[in-house]
């Protein structure tokens, strides 16, 4: 028997099951046994193979074996993105020796692993080793047997190339006249041996731990370009000079606008670092400086806000600079509410102290003892300046400083943007929005520290290893930023945020989520009806796609790879990433 395909003029060909025989004259003839034209093509091909002497594999329980099944989808998404943005090529650069290639593969693997499941370096070794692999990562990069010391050697190798890699990122994403965001954060430290670890102002609220400080340079969109680690007791302004040198000397950018908060870009730093380097800046005035502008007939007059929420002024105290006054009425109401709540809470505690002083037989009698108790109360809520205290032996009373509170309340919701950029190059509205874009650096710190990458706690004791660890986390966030941009339709991200900002009447007003973002939050689906996720949740779901090593008993020396059937969400994600999970290597 055989299958014969017969042309049928303009119609599809007829697929017939036939057999050959000889007639009474000995001539060969064909007899049609069945018309197979309506069968699926793969079934027809299988029948052809069987009729040609092939065997049907997979009908018996032992005909097909799965040798190894490893989570693969999240690895393919992250590794494929690294390949697509050519970050691995930038890391390797011109190094061609086998050792550098090995170190580069390990660095890429650590970046991918940190985005998938942040863990210690020893945990990473176990996760990619061919015997104890937790994902397909080690297999895709052909890492083979990974020794315990190799990740640390790869970190040392990476740190030697940090400047060159950051220079490459700057060439790709920075240009003359660009606005650059800069901010500082800190992370607590485990151990006591690293010279970088010092006690300082803990942003993690872990004053019991040593810490390190690091400064992050980003594009205005929040894409990280460079990071630098400082000692844990370094003050924010002292980190600025090295960033100025980096932008001007290393990156070779002739004209750049640095955006930093008021605790970072101080008057001293402007005078000593920025002006001497011909660097422009955007920052904000501190509260005492705003109060000085509002005193008497100063340039900051509240009447300017009668019909608007933004006004530009000048002051002889800030020669050659633009001062952009802003008043957010919603923020003013919130600050007034919060102040009143803090004052009332403090008064309740002061009343308890007063009752204790008046109680017969109380041990709280001397002025010194009463002062200690009262100081603890008023300093707890940071409102000591708003109370007039009368403390004597056996006596305590207080009253609010009504005039001082009223003077402070007049400036509620008011902030002043300070910039050196000429008005012809940057409007007041764009200057305000540029300063508010610092929130994107804060989001980067949240991802680095808690949400996705877990840079802390830091367990290295060698200063260079600490620097390399922080730089590795920055590179991982660089990849995450690209992933978030591409996967935004499947995330809770507001994909119309920039369009909504452009449509606002004033940048001073709070940024409201777009209609699509509100809809995502309400029904947990996007406009196409696809479920939306957090970034970590989507990565976890992609990880349910497995990479299976298959083998047949008849072909033991020839295993093949088969991916598990993808879900609609996985198909949509890889479509957005423009990746084929089977072809990522």
């Amino acid at each position: 028997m055989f299958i014969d395909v017969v042309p049928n003029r303009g119609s599809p060909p007829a697929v017939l099951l036939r057999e050959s025989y000889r007639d009474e004259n000995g001539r060969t003839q064909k007899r049609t046994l069945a018309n197979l034209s309506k069968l699926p093509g793969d079934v027809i091909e299988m029948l052809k193979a069987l009729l040609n002497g092939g065997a049907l594999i997979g009908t018996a329980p032992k005909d097909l074996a799965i040798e190894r099944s490893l989570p693969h989808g999240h690895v393919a998404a992250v590794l494929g993105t690294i390949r697509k943005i050519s970050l691995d090529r930038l890391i390797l650069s011109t190094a061609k020796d086998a050792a550098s290639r090995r170190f580069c593969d390990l660095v890429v693997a650590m970046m991918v692993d940190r985005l998938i499941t942040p863990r210690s370096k020893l945990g990473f070794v176990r996760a990619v080793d061919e015997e104890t692999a937790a994902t397909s990562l080690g297999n895709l990069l052909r890492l083979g047997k990974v020794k315990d010391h190799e990740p640390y050697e790869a970190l040392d190798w990476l740190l030697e190339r940090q400047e060159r890699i950051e220079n490459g990122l700057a060439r790709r994403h920075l240009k003359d006249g660009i606005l650059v965001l800069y901010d500082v954060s800190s992370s607590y430290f485990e151990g006591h041996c690293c010279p970088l670890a010092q006690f300082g102002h803990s942003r993690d609220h872990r004053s019991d731990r040593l810490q390190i400080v690091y400064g992050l340079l980003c594009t205005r969109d929040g894409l990280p370009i460079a990071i630098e680690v400082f000692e844990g007791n370094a003050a924010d302004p002292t980190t600025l000079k090295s960033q100025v040198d980096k932008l001007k000397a290393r990156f070779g950018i002739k004209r750049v606008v640095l955006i930093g908060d008021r605790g970072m870009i101080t008057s001293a730093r402007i005078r000593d670092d920025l002006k001497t380097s011909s660097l422009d800046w955007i920052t904000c005035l501190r509260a005492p400086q705003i109060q000085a502008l509002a005193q008497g007939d100063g340039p900051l007059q509240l009447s300017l806000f009668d019909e608007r929420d933004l006004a530009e002024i000048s002051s002889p105290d800030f020669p050659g600079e633009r001062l952009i006054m802003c008043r957010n009425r919603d923020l003013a109401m919130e600050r007034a509410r919060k102040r009143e709540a803090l004052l009332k809470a403090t008064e309740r505690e002061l009343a308890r102290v007063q009752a204790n002083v008046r109680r017969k037989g109380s041990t709280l009698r001397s002025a010194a003892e009463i002062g200690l108790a009262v100081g603890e109360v008023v300093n707890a809520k940071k409102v000591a300046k708003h109370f007039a205290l009368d403390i004597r032996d056996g006596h305590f009373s207080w009253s609010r400083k009504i005039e001082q509170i009223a003077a402070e309340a007049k400036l509620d919701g008011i902030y002043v943007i300070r910039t050196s950029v000429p008005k012809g190059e940057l409007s007041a509205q764009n200057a305000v929005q540029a300063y508010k874009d610092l929130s994107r650096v804060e989001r980067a710190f949240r991802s680095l520290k808690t949400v996705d990458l877990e840079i802390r706690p830091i367990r290295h004791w060698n200063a260079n290893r600490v620097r390399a660890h922080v730089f590795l986390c920055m590179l991982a966030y660089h990849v995450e930023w690209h992933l978030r941009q591409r996967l935004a339709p499947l995330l809770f991200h507001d994909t119309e945020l920039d369009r909504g900002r452009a449509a606002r009447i004033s940048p001073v007003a709070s940024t409201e989520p777009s209609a699509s973002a509100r809809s995502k939050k309400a029904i947990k689906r996007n406009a196409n009806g696809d479920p939306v996720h957090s970034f970590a949740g989507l990565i976890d779901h992609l990880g349910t796609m497995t990479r299976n090593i298959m083998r047949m008993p008849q072909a033991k020396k020839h295993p093949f790879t088969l991916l598990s059937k993808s879900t609609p969400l996985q198909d949509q994600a890889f479509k957005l990433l423009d990746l084929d999970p089977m072809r990522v290597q």
Side-chain angles (χ1 to χ4, degrees):
M1 288 188 295
F2 62 95
I3 291 179
D4 195 9
V5 179
V6 181
N8 196 11
R9 295 185 181 179
S11 301
V15 182
L16 307 175
L17 176 64
R18 289 180 165 180
E19 66 175 356
S20 298
Y21 68 95
R22 292 186 181 274
D23 60 13
E24 57 187 13
N25 297 321
R27 290 179 296 185
T28 301
Q29 300 290 340
K30 291 187 288 187
R31 181 187 298 119
T32 300
L33 302 178
N35 188 339
L36 308 179
S37 302
K38 294 185 179 181
L39 291 179
D42 56 345
V43 175
I44 293 172
E45 293 300 321
M46 184 172 61
L47 289 173
K48 284 184 179 181
L50 287 173
L51 294 175
N52 288 332
L56 183 61
I57 303 297
T59 56
K62 297 183 180 180
D63 280 349
L64 188 63
I66 302 177
E67 286 198 346
R68 197 80 181 269
S69 181
L70 294 171
H72 171 72
H74 47 7
V75 174
V78 179
L79 183 58
T81 300
I82 291 175
R83 305 289 198 218
K84 190 172 285 290
I85 64 177
S86 300
L87 185 57
D88 54 332
R89 294 184 183 179
L90 180 60
I91 294 171
L92 184 59
S93 188
T94 58
K96 300 296 183 182
D97 58 288
S100 292
R101 292 183 181 277
R102 173 71 172 176
F103 288 146
C104 180
D105 288 341
L106 286 169
V107 167
V108 169
M110 285 190 282
M111 290 162 49
V112 176
D113 190 63
R114 186 147 291 274
L115 272 166
I116 293 172
T117 308
R119 56 184 123 218
S120 67
K121 300 303 181 292
L122 180 60
F124 162 76
V125 170
R126 301 293 185 266
V128 298
D129 187 87
E130 57 187 353
E131 294 182 3
T132 57
T135 67
S136 62
L137 179 58
N139 187 276
L140 290 181
L141 293 173
R142 299 179 178 86
L143 295 180
K145 182 68 177 178
V146 180
K147 299 178 181 179
D148 291 350
H149 62 83
E150 286 189 289
Y152 299 100
E153 293 176 351
L155 285 178
D156 296 338
W157 177 88
L158 176 66
L159 186 63
E160 293 174 358
R161 288 154 179 78
Q162 178 174 353
E163 285 193 9
R164 181 178 49 75
I165 295 171
E166 290 178 344
N167 293 345
L169 293 175
R171 286 194 299 270
R172 291 181 179 184
H173 303 290
L174 301 182
K175 58 183 180 179
D176 280 343
I178 197 169
L179 277 69
V180 178
L181 307 176
Y182 176 65
D183 206 352
V184 165
S185 190
S186 61
S187 290
Y188 63 87
F189 195 90
E190 296 292 342
H192 305 278
C193 299
C194 180
L196 291 173
Q198 303 288 338
F199 285 108
H201 170 60
S202 177
R203 297 165 179 84
D204 299 333
H205 306 291
R206 292 298 303 269
S207 57
D208 61 323
R209 291 285 189 273
L210 298 172
Q211 67 174 17
I212 60 168
V213 171
Y214 43 89
L216 183 65
L217 275 175
C218 296
T219 67
R220 187 175 176 180
D221 293 328
L223 177 65
I225 301 298
I227 198 165
E228 186 171 352
V229 180
F230 307 93
E231 292 185 353
N233 57 359
D236 292 3
T238 62
T239 68
L240 190 63
K241 187 178 187 319
S242 61
Q243 310 309 310
V244 173
D245 295 340
K246 189 181 299 181
L247 288 166
K248 299 291 287 188
R250 274 181 47 195
F251 297 164
I253 302 177
K254 297 179 181 179
R255 180 110 192 329
V256 65
V257 180
L258 189 63
I259 307 172
D261 62 28
R262 56 192 174 186
M264 177 72 60
I265 304 181
T266 62
S267 296
R269 298 280 67 80
I270 290 173
R271 180 187 66 246
D272 298 338
D273 297 332
L274 299 180
K275 286 187 176 180
T276 57
S277 302
S278 301
L279 205 69
D280 286 316
W281 68 88
I282 299 175
T283 187
C284 190
L285 293 184
R286 291 174 176 270
Q289 294 171 317
I290 297 176
Q291 292 169 359
L293 291 175
Q295 287 179 354
D297 295 328
L300 200 165
Q301 297 296 316
L302 297 180
S303 59
L304 292 171
F305 300 113
D306 289 345
E307 297 181 357
R308 53 185 173 178
D309 58 7
L310 182 150
E312 188 167 337
I313 63 174
S314 60
S315 170
D317 295 333
F318 304 95
E321 300 181 27
R322 299 166 59 199
L323 300 179
I324 304 166
M325 302 188 309
C326 308
R327 185 174 190 182
N328 186 321
R329 288 175 170 77
D330 293 335
L331 179 61
M333 294 175 60
E334 174 60 20
R335 286 186 175 174
R337 182 202 64 78
K338 186 175 182 180
R339 182 192 302 106
E340 184 62 25
L342 291 174
L343 291 172
K344 287 182 177 179
T346 301
E347 286 178 325
R348 285 194 296 269
E349 296 300 319
L350 290 176
R352 291 191 180 98
V353 175
Q354 186 183 58
N356 192 13
V357 172
R358 293 176 176 176
R359 191 176 69 249
K360 186 177 181 180
S362 172
T363 58
L364 199 62
R365 303 301 299 171
S366 70
E369 292 173 339
I370 297 172
L372 289 173
V374 171
E376 184 177 349
V377 170
V378 295
N379 290 326
K381 301 289 193 297
K382 311 297 183 185
V383 291
K385 61 183 178 180
H386 294 319
F387 287 100
L389 307 174
D390 183 10
I391 301 175
R392 301 190 301 271
D393 289 342
H395 173 80
F396 167 58
S397 63
W398 80 92
S399 61
R400 290 188 183 187
K401 296 180 179 178
I402 303 299
E403 293 183 1
Q404 180 177 310
I405 294 173
E408 182 181 272
K410 288 181 180 179
L411 299 179
D412 282 348
I414 293 178
Y415 57 94
V416 180
I417 304 299
R418 176 185 185 184
T419 181
S420 63
V421 184
K423 189 173 184 179
E425 299 179 15
L426 187 71
S427 67
Q429 289 79 4
N430 287 337
V432 173
Q433 186 57 62
Y435 182 78
K436 294 176 74 172
D437 284 341
L438 276 173
S439 61
R440 295 176 175 177
V441 185
E442 294 171 359
R443 187 177 77 174
F445 283 137
R446 286 195 298 273
S447 292
L448 281 169
K449 295 168 67 171
T450 57
V451 181
D452 304 315
L453 303 175
E454 296 184 12
I455 195 174
R456 64 187 185 190
I458 299 168
R459 297 184 173 88
H460 299 281
W461 61 268
N462 182 285
N464 284 339
R465 296 269 171 81
V466 171
R467 291 189 175 96
H469 168 76
V470 173
F471 181 51
L472 178 76
C473 291
M474 189 218 81
L475 291 176
Y477 182 70
H478 186 94
V479 179
E480 180 183 327
W481 186 91
H482 285 280
L483 282 166
R484 286 179 179 271
Q485 295 297 112
R486 293 176 180 272
L487 295 173
L490 299 179
L491 303 174
F492 283 100
H493 286 19
D494 191 347
T495 55
E496 299 178 5
L497 182 62
D498 290 334
R499 188 186 309 170
R501 284 175 173 173
R504 280 186 303 165
I505 299 175
S506 171
V508 178
S510 300
T511 303
E512 296 294 334
S514 66
S516 62
R518 290 195 296 269
S519 175
K520 278 185 181 181
K521 186 175 181 179
I523 65 175
K524 308 301 186 289
R525 291 181 178 273
N526 60 18
N528 296 327
D530 302 315
V532 290
H533 302 260
S534 66
F535 179 78
L538 182 56
I539 290 294
D540 287 344
H541 178 72
L542 292 177
T544 62
M545 176 188 289
T546 58
R547 188 172 186 266
N548 308 292
I549 308 300
M550 317 291 291
R551 193 182 298 274
M552 296 181 181
Q554 291 84 351
K556 293 182 178 180
K557 294 184 180 180
H558 302 285
F560 62 95
T561 302
L562 186 67
L563 298 185
S564 62
K565 182 176 176 58
S566 58
T567 66
L569 179 60
Q570 290 168 346
D571 286 336
Q572 182 68 9
F574 282 108
K575 182 179 180 181
L576 292 171
L577 294 172
D578 191 23
L579 292 172
D580 182 349
M582 188 65 185
R583 297 181 180 275
V584 173
Q585 295 291 337

